[in-house]
Structure formats: C-alpha cells, structure tokens
Amino acid sequence: MTTKPSTFPADFIFGTATASYQVEGGVHEGGRGPSIWDTFCATPDKVVGGDNGDVACDHFHRWEEDVDMMAEMGLQAYRFSIAWPRVQPGGTGEFNEEGIAFYRNLIARLKSKGITPLITLYHWDLPQELQDEGGWVNRDIVDRFTAYAVRMMEEFGGDVDMWATFNEPWVASFIGYGAGAHAPGHTDSAEALTAAHHLNLSHARAYRAMKHIQPDAQIGYVNNCHTPRPWDPSNPKDVAASAHIDALANTMFHQPFIQGGYPEVLRPNTAHITDWSFVHNGDEEEMKGAVDWFGVNYYASHLVRHNPHKGKATSEVATLADGHKAGAGTAWPGDEEIEFMPPLGQLTAMGWNVDPSALTAHLLKIHRETGKPIYVTENGSAWDDVVDDDGRVRDVNRISYFHGHLGAVLDAIHEGADVRGYMAWSLMDNFEWAQGYAKRFGIVRVDYDTLERRWKDSAYWYTEVLRRRAVVPVEEELAPTPPRTF
Ligand code: NOJ
C-alpha cells in the first residue's frame, strides 16, 4: 500500500464553472434569440419567485472584470457554456456574428491570462424555435445540433482544445420532458426516453464531425451522477431498484459510447412506456467510440428501495432526495415501485446531503466502466450565506464541503481513477434554474440589486488550494477584512 498523496498531480487542472443562461443576462441584446428557459421563466409558477435570466449576473457586460477576477484567483481553467440562441438565434440557418464575437473575446481574454477555456456547447438553453419543432424529441435535432457544433469548432477550434458537447443530458431529458420541473416542462416518460437517446446520438454525431475539423480536440460528455445505493443491500428488490436508477441516471449516458448499446435492464423495465423504436438501425454503431473523456458533476448521494405501496407522499420525498422540485411527472421512467429515501447526513440549502465518499466511489466506477480520462466538471454546494457586518461572508460550510470533496478526488486518484481536473461550481452565485436566485452556489457572492461581486471566504480558501495544490485545512484564516469587492 502506498500512502495517499497530499498534493494533486502536476498536470491536474483546477478551475470553476458557470453556464450561459445562469450568468450572462443580456437576453435581448447582441442579436440573441429566445431560448426555452426564457419561455419557461415567463410561465407562471415554474420558477421560484418568478425569477428569470434577463439580467442574471450581467456577465454579458462584466465578462472582462470576471475574467480578471479568475486570474487573480489563479484559476487554470474556466468551464463556460455557449448560448446556442446567442450564436444561432433560431437554432438553424443564419449564425449571429455579434454573438460569436462575444465568445471570441471571452476566449481571447481567458487565454491572455493563462486560463484554459473549456467550452460546453449545450447547457440547456435550447433556441425556442427548435422546441417549437419538438425540441429533443424530434430526431431532426441531431443534425441541427451537429451543424451548430461544427460551426463552433470552425470558429474556436484553433484556440480551444477542451470541449464538452452536453451538460447533464439526464437533466435535459428526464427533468425537462419527464418530471416537468425544467424547460420545456413536459411530463411524458416516453418523450423523456426519446430525448435522452437523441441527446446521446447528437453527442456522437457532433463528436465525429468536430473531430474531422480538429482531430486533436478533446471532446467529452458531462453527466450529473446519481450514486444510488440500495437501502437494504441484502434485499434483491432494493438492489434491483438501485440498479434501475443507476441505469437511467448513469450507465445510459456512457455505455453507448464505450461498449455500445443501452443497459439491458432498461428495455424490460420501461416496456410499458415505450418500445424504444426511437433507436434506429446504425445508431448504436454511431455512438460507440465517440468520446474522449467524461465529465462528472457531483453533488450528493442517494438511497433507494423497492416499495410496491409507494404513494403520493413518498414521491414527494423522492423529489426532495434527488434534489428536483416535484413536477406532475417523474424523472425516473419505470419507477412505479421505486422510492428515494430521505438523504442521510448534513443537508445543504438544496436539501442535498454531504457525502464525499460517494464521489470517490463514483469516480472509481466511471473509471472501471469507461476507462476514459475524467474531469470533475462541477462540484459545490448552496448554503444560506450571510454578509457579516464587516463585509465578510464566512461560508465555512462551503469550505468544509470543498475540503471533503477535494479529499475524495485525491482518494480516487490514489485508487487508480484517471481524474485530471476539478471545476468548482460555481465561480459566482447565479440563476439556479427552477430555484431562481434563492440558492447560492458561488465562491463569490453576487448582490442582485447592485450586481457587485464580493469574494466569500471560500474564494480565498480555494485560491490557496490552487497555490499549494493541496487540500488546505478548513480552519486556516485566509480572507482579509473587508474582502475584495468590485
Ligand atoms: C448542475 C447543473 O449543471 C448546474 O447548472 C446547476 O446550477 C448545478 N447542478 C447545481 O444545481
């Protein structure tokens, strides 16, 4: 047994992540077209507080200062997403030069400061016009997405090596088309499964077309992970319930690209919902082999059990446990007898539990099942932050969360997982989808009245992690009083 290293490998990269709709604002500027999130936010009762992304963090206007802030923190990488409706307002046809210029300038500034850009092509803001044609349920979207991805690679491939096609296809399909809690707000399990397949196929087609343009580009697929564990590991029905959730949440989004095909349990378990005719001849071959790396977004762990008497009350618990607001539908096709148990341990402001051990386990599992390089593309926590009288945000819970999870990453590396980077979610507080601005994940606080940025204690702590390339003790006093604001 070798001793666990206390520092990160020399080539391991640290960064932060954001997403276009969550930070940019400027939704009516620069020729941007409407997205399904503009529509969803304008629909009554969909988003807490009736919030929307119209202004968000105003990153569309403050991007230069935001990049300078990242440089001050010593970040090596910045994961951001391109808003498809900003660069191709209708999702087909004409591209918008002004939108393309916004990202070109952002990339240039990042690079001038030594920060590696990691582009996500799709973080949920689908052009509304494509949704009007059926969105991810209409197979035509595969070619539409590929055309958009190709153009982005033509524009930026010379400057950017690290690309992700999609962020969390599970959320885009199962929460958007199944649970109804995200845009476009549909509640149809057959649609959700169809959308999931089209997202996978879009990834594969775009991957191959993008590689044709830039063979050296590293193109990955970013998944949120659920880490289901059976409530009673000695009960085969609990084990089967956990396997179903694992297949839907995780395996469905990596197996097609590695060994080909979908997890076997899925078809029988969902036969009452769909005949899977949305998988056409040739799709499986097209998907196999089409990935360079996997992104893991990790937040919490999950306990599930078989419960044939699951009723309304327990499904409320299920939505709480898996972190998404109840919609009229389900995020888990075939879950009629599957129940999520209340999460164990300390809970964040999202109601998610703090469980670093499941991150280690998940990284090792993805390593075993895919053999691919892995980046932790998101990890972080929301808390009810308070600005103290002296201006500090003493977010010790967030520091402690990062502390535990960075240690979990080191554990996974030590046990053999090929983990190459870590992106904290998030650079700054931002629009937390159906939760609006109520939940704060940033290491920098955003005052939504003045748009002022204020470094929380966690920003100073993370900066020190990057400087030492090691997990810094939680209790070290690193933040000045007053903290940096701009
Ligand atoms: C994952 C999503 O990619 C991101 O957009 C979201 O804000 C975080 N989870 C926190 O819920």
PDB file of all heavy atoms in Angstrom, residues 22 123-124 167-168 297 299 350 352 378 425 430 432-433 441, ligand 1:
ATOM      1  N   GLN A  22     -27.299  30.974 -16.807  1.00  0.00           N
ATOM      2  CA  GLN A  22     -27.217  31.226 -15.368  1.00  0.00           C
ATOM      3  C   GLN A  22     -26.451  32.502 -15.023  1.00  0.00           C
ATOM      4  O   GLN A  22     -26.650  33.051 -13.945  1.00  0.00           O
ATOM      5  CB  GLN A  22     -26.567  30.019 -14.670  1.00  0.00           C
ATOM      6  CG  GLN A  22     -27.432  28.771 -14.758  1.00  0.00           C
ATOM      7  CD  GLN A  22     -26.829  27.590 -14.028  1.00  0.00           C
ATOM      8  OE1 GLN A  22     -26.047  26.843 -14.599  1.00  0.00           O
ATOM      9  NE2 GLN A  22     -27.173  27.419 -12.768  1.00  0.00           N
ATOM     10  N   HIS A 123     -25.823  23.849 -22.469  1.00  0.00           N
ATOM     11  CA  HIS A 123     -26.164  23.800 -21.040  1.00  0.00           C
ATOM     12  C   HIS A 123     -27.608  24.291 -20.926  1.00  0.00           C
ATOM     13  O   HIS A 123     -27.890  25.289 -20.262  1.00  0.00           O
ATOM     14  CB  HIS A 123     -25.184  24.638 -20.231  1.00  0.00           C
ATOM     15  CG  HIS A 123     -25.112  24.276 -18.769  1.00  0.00           C
ATOM     16  ND1 HIS A 123     -23.932  23.993 -18.114  1.00  0.00           N
ATOM     17  CD2 HIS A 123     -26.071  24.164 -17.820  1.00  0.00           C
ATOM     18  CE1 HIS A 123     -24.164  23.728 -16.823  1.00  0.00           C
ATOM     19  NE2 HIS A 123     -25.466  23.832 -16.626  1.00  0.00           N
ATOM     20  N   TRP A 124     -28.491  23.644 -21.690  1.00  0.00           N
ATOM     21  CA  TRP A 124     -29.942  23.682 -21.508  1.00  0.00           C
ATOM     22  C   TRP A 124     -30.717  24.831 -22.158  1.00  0.00           C
ATOM     23  O   TRP A 124     -31.934  24.819 -22.146  1.00  0.00           O
ATOM     24  CB  TRP A 124     -30.312  23.640 -20.012  1.00  0.00           C
ATOM     25  CG  TRP A 124     -29.662  22.514 -19.268  1.00  0.00           C
ATOM     26  CD1 TRP A 124     -28.983  21.438 -19.785  1.00  0.00           C
ATOM     27  CD2 TRP A 124     -29.620  22.340 -17.852  1.00  0.00           C
ATOM     28  NE1 TRP A 124     -28.540  20.616 -18.777  1.00  0.00           N
ATOM     29  CE2 TRP A 124     -28.910  21.153 -17.585  1.00  0.00           C
ATOM     30  CE3 TRP A 124     -30.130  23.076 -16.776  1.00  0.00           C
ATOM     31  CZ2 TRP A 124     -28.692  20.674 -16.278  1.00  0.00           C
ATOM     32  CZ3 TRP A 124     -29.908  22.615 -15.500  1.00  0.00           C
ATOM     33  CH2 TRP A 124     -29.197  21.426 -15.248  1.00  0.00           C
ATOM     34  N   ASN A 167     -24.107  19.305 -21.264  1.00  0.00           N
ATOM     35  CA  ASN A 167     -24.100  19.256 -19.816  1.00  0.00           C
ATOM     36  C   ASN A 167     -25.331  18.500 -19.342  1.00  0.00           C
ATOM     37  O   ASN A 167     -26.466  18.864 -19.668  1.00  0.00           O
ATOM     38  CB  ASN A 167     -24.153  20.670 -19.231  1.00  0.00           C
ATOM     39  CG  ASN A 167     -24.197  20.630 -17.713  1.00  0.00           C
ATOM     40  OD1 ASN A 167     -23.216  20.284 -17.067  1.00  0.00           O
ATOM     41  ND2 ASN A 167     -25.353  20.930 -17.127  1.00  0.00           N
ATOM     42  N   GLU A 168     -25.110  17.448 -18.594  1.00  0.00           N
ATOM     43  CA  GLU A 168     -26.171  16.713 -17.903  1.00  0.00           C
ATOM     44  C   GLU A 168     -27.374  16.377 -18.794  1.00  0.00           C
ATOM     45  O   GLU A 168     -28.477  16.880 -18.594  1.00  0.00           O
ATOM     46  CB  GLU A 168     -26.629  17.493 -16.666  1.00  0.00           C
ATOM     47  CG  GLU A 168     -25.513  17.737 -15.676  1.00  0.00           C
ATOM     48  CD  GLU A 168     -25.993  18.222 -14.305  1.00  0.00           C
ATOM     49  OE1 GLU A 168     -27.190  18.502 -14.154  1.00  0.00           O
ATOM     50  OE2 GLU A 168     -25.153  18.285 -13.385  1.00  0.00           O
ATOM     51  N   ASN A 297     -20.350  15.612 -12.823  1.00  0.00           N
ATOM     52  CA  ASN A 297     -20.892  16.652 -11.947  1.00  0.00           C
ATOM     53  C   ASN A 297     -21.429  15.943 -10.719  1.00  0.00           C
ATOM     54  O   ASN A 297     -22.349  15.127 -10.818  1.00  0.00           O
ATOM     55  CB  ASN A 297     -22.051  17.401 -12.616  1.00  0.00           C
ATOM     56  CG  ASN A 297     -21.599  18.242 -13.805  1.00  0.00           C
ATOM     57  OD1 ASN A 297     -20.401  18.358 -14.083  1.00  0.00           O
ATOM     58  ND2 ASN A 297     -22.554  18.832 -14.499  1.00  0.00           N
ATOM     59  N   TYR A 299     -22.843  16.137  -6.647  1.00  0.00           N
ATOM     60  CA  TYR A 299     -23.347  16.958  -5.537  1.00  0.00           C
ATOM     61  C   TYR A 299     -23.711  16.155  -4.291  1.00  0.00           C
ATOM     62  O   TYR A 299     -23.450  16.594  -3.174  1.00  0.00           O
ATOM     63  CB  TYR A 299     -24.574  17.779  -5.996  1.00  0.00           C
ATOM     64  CG  TYR A 299     -24.171  18.860  -6.959  1.00  0.00           C
ATOM     65  CD1 TYR A 299     -24.148  18.631  -8.340  1.00  0.00           C
ATOM     66  CD2 TYR A 299     -23.731  20.094  -6.499  1.00  0.00           C
ATOM     67  CE1 TYR A 299     -23.718  19.616  -9.223  1.00  0.00           C
ATOM     68  CE2 TYR A 299     -23.304  21.084  -7.372  1.00  0.00           C
ATOM     69  CZ  TYR A 299     -23.301  20.838  -8.737  1.00  0.00           C
ATOM     70  OH  TYR A 299     -22.860  21.807  -9.602  1.00  0.00           O
ATOM     71  N   MET A 350     -30.040  23.130  -0.580  1.00  0.00           N
ATOM     72  CA  MET A 350     -30.848  22.446  -1.596  1.00  0.00           C
ATOM     73  C   MET A 350     -31.558  21.227  -1.014  1.00  0.00           C
ATOM     74  O   MET A 350     -32.345  20.571  -1.710  1.00  0.00           O
ATOM     75  CB  MET A 350     -29.966  21.973  -2.764  1.00  0.00           C
ATOM     76  CG  MET A 350     -29.308  23.068  -3.571  1.00  0.00           C
ATOM     77  SD  MET A 350     -30.481  24.058  -4.524  1.00  0.00           S
ATOM     78  CE  MET A 350     -30.762  23.022  -5.955  1.00  0.00           C
ATOM     79  N   TRP A 352     -29.791  18.633  -0.256  1.00  0.00           N
ATOM     80  CA  TRP A 352     -28.930  17.530  -0.703  1.00  0.00           C
ATOM     81  C   TRP A 352     -27.949  17.189   0.415  1.00  0.00           C
ATOM     82  O   TRP A 352     -27.496  18.081   1.137  1.00  0.00           O
ATOM     83  CB  TRP A 352     -28.143  17.945  -1.958  1.00  0.00           C
ATOM     84  CG  TRP A 352     -29.020  18.327  -3.112  1.00  0.00           C
ATOM     85  CD1 TRP A 352     -30.368  18.150  -3.226  1.00  0.00           C
ATOM     86  CD2 TRP A 352     -28.613  18.982  -4.318  1.00  0.00           C
ATOM     87  NE1 TRP A 352     -30.821  18.639  -4.422  1.00  0.00           N
ATOM     88  CE2 TRP A 352     -29.769  19.157  -5.119  1.00  0.00           C
ATOM     89  CE3 TRP A 352     -27.386  19.426  -4.819  1.00  0.00           C
ATOM     90  CZ2 TRP A 352     -29.725  19.760  -6.376  1.00  0.00           C
ATOM     91  CZ3 TRP A 352     -27.351  20.024  -6.071  1.00  0.00           C
ATOM     92  CH2 TRP A 352     -28.498  20.181  -6.844  1.00  0.00           C
ATOM     93  N   GLU A 378     -18.145  19.712 -12.250  1.00  0.00           N
ATOM     94  CA  GLU A 378     -18.887  20.525 -11.276  1.00  0.00           C
ATOM     95  C   GLU A 378     -18.862  19.820  -9.940  1.00  0.00           C
ATOM     96  O   GLU A 378     -19.032  18.595  -9.864  1.00  0.00           O
ATOM     97  CB  GLU A 378     -20.362  20.684 -11.657  1.00  0.00           C
ATOM     98  CG  GLU A 378     -20.640  21.646 -12.760  1.00  0.00           C
ATOM     99  CD  GLU A 378     -22.137  21.770 -13.056  1.00  0.00           C
ATOM    100  OE1 GLU A 378     -22.961  21.614 -12.132  1.00  0.00           O
ATOM    101  OE2 GLU A 378     -22.461  22.015 -14.225  1.00  0.00           O
ATOM    102  N   TRP A 425     -18.203  24.414  -8.661  1.00  0.00           N
ATOM    103  CA  TRP A 425     -19.461  25.077  -9.009  1.00  0.00           C
ATOM    104  C   TRP A 425     -19.859  25.908  -7.820  1.00  0.00           C
ATOM    105  O   TRP A 425     -20.105  25.350  -6.761  1.00  0.00           O
ATOM    106  CB  TRP A 425     -20.557  24.055  -9.343  1.00  0.00           C
ATOM    107  CG  TRP A 425     -21.774  24.784  -9.813  1.00  0.00           C
ATOM    108  CD1 TRP A 425     -22.824  25.246  -9.051  1.00  0.00           C
ATOM    109  CD2 TRP A 425     -22.048  25.201 -11.165  1.00  0.00           C
ATOM    110  NE1 TRP A 425     -23.720  25.925  -9.830  1.00  0.00           N
ATOM    111  CE2 TRP A 425     -23.270  25.915 -11.133  1.00  0.00           C
ATOM    112  CE3 TRP A 425     -21.375  25.061 -12.382  1.00  0.00           C
ATOM    113  CZ2 TRP A 425     -23.844  26.472 -12.279  1.00  0.00           C
ATOM    114  CZ3 TRP A 425     -21.952  25.611 -13.518  1.00  0.00           C
ATOM    115  CH2 TRP A 425     -23.176  26.293 -13.458  1.00  0.00           C
ATOM    116  N   ASN A 430     -25.517  32.449  -8.973  1.00  0.00           N
ATOM    117  CA  ASN A 430     -26.172  32.678 -10.262  1.00  0.00           C
ATOM    118  C   ASN A 430     -27.585  32.100 -10.272  1.00  0.00           C
ATOM    119  O   ASN A 430     -28.078  31.649  -9.238  1.00  0.00           O
ATOM    120  CB  ASN A 430     -25.306  32.112 -11.404  1.00  0.00           C
ATOM    121  CG  ASN A 430     -24.993  30.638 -11.212  1.00  0.00           C
ATOM    122  OD1 ASN A 430     -25.887  29.834 -10.940  1.00  0.00           O
ATOM    123  ND2 ASN A 430     -23.712  30.276 -11.344  1.00  0.00           N
ATOM    124  N   GLU A 432     -30.251  29.716 -10.370  1.00  0.00           N
ATOM    125  CA  GLU A 432     -30.279  28.278 -10.114  1.00  0.00           C
ATOM    126  C   GLU A 432     -31.578  27.664 -10.660  1.00  0.00           C
ATOM    127  O   GLU A 432     -32.399  27.106  -9.944  1.00  0.00           O
ATOM    128  CB  GLU A 432     -30.089  28.010  -8.611  1.00  0.00           C
ATOM    129  CG  GLU A 432     -30.114  26.555  -8.174  1.00  0.00           C
ATOM    130  CD  GLU A 432     -29.151  25.626  -8.917  1.00  0.00           C
ATOM    131  OE1 GLU A 432     -28.131  26.089  -9.443  1.00  0.00           O
ATOM    132  OE2 GLU A 432     -29.455  24.427  -8.974  1.00  0.00           O
ATOM    133  N   TRP A 433     -31.799  27.837 -11.951  1.00  0.00           N
ATOM    134  CA  TRP A 433     -32.899  27.196 -12.674  1.00  0.00           C
ATOM    135  C   TRP A 433     -34.232  27.358 -11.949  1.00  0.00           C
ATOM    136  O   TRP A 433     -34.589  28.479 -11.584  1.00  0.00           O
ATOM    137  CB  TRP A 433     -32.531  25.727 -12.954  1.00  0.00           C
ATOM    138  CG  TRP A 433     -31.189  25.632 -13.647  1.00  0.00           C
ATOM    139  CD1 TRP A 433     -30.025  25.145 -13.108  1.00  0.00           C
ATOM    140  CD2 TRP A 433     -30.840  26.095 -14.968  1.00  0.00           C
ATOM    141  NE1 TRP A 433     -28.993  25.255 -14.015  1.00  0.00           N
ATOM    142  CE2 TRP A 433     -29.456  25.826 -15.155  1.00  0.00           C
ATOM    143  CE3 TRP A 433     -31.543  26.699 -16.010  1.00  0.00           C
ATOM    144  CZ2 TRP A 433     -28.783  26.148 -16.341  1.00  0.00           C
ATOM    145  CZ3 TRP A 433     -30.878  27.012 -17.199  1.00  0.00           C
ATOM    146  CH2 TRP A 433     -29.522  26.730 -17.350  1.00  0.00           C
ATOM    147  N   PHE A 441     -24.633  29.164  -4.926  1.00  0.00           N
ATOM    148  CA  PHE A 441     -23.563  28.164  -5.033  1.00  0.00           C
ATOM    149  C   PHE A 441     -22.176  28.804  -5.193  1.00  0.00           C
ATOM    150  O   PHE A 441     -21.179  28.095  -5.241  1.00  0.00           O
ATOM    151  CB  PHE A 441     -23.788  27.278  -6.264  1.00  0.00           C
ATOM    152  CG  PHE A 441     -24.737  26.121  -6.075  1.00  0.00           C
ATOM    153  CD1 PHE A 441     -26.095  26.258  -6.313  1.00  0.00           C
ATOM    154  CD2 PHE A 441     -24.264  24.869  -5.678  1.00  0.00           C
ATOM    155  CE1 PHE A 441     -26.972  25.180  -6.156  1.00  0.00           C
ATOM    156  CE2 PHE A 441     -25.118  23.789  -5.526  1.00  0.00           C
ATOM    157  CZ  PHE A 441     -26.473  23.943  -5.767  1.00  0.00           C
TER     158      PHE A 441
HETATM  159  C1  NOJ B   1     -25.722  21.039 -12.227  1.00  0.00           C
HETATM  160  C2  NOJ B   1     -26.003  21.981 -13.339  1.00  0.00           C
HETATM  161  O1  NOJ B   1     -25.175  21.711 -14.424  1.00  0.00           O
HETATM  162  C3  NOJ B   1     -25.864  23.446 -12.938  1.00  0.00           C
HETATM  163  O2  NOJ B   1     -26.375  24.223 -13.955  1.00  0.00           O
HETATM  164  C4  NOJ B   1     -26.566  23.669 -11.625  1.00  0.00           C
HETATM  165  O3  NOJ B   1     -26.564  25.017 -11.251  1.00  0.00           O
HETATM  166  C5  NOJ B   1     -25.900  22.820 -10.565  1.00  0.00           C
HETATM  167  N1  NOJ B   1     -26.080  21.437 -10.928  1.00  0.00           N
HETATM  168  C6  NOJ B   1     -26.479  22.997  -9.159  1.00  0.00           C
HETATM  169  O4  NOJ B   1     -27.786  22.551  -9.140  1.00  0.00           O
END
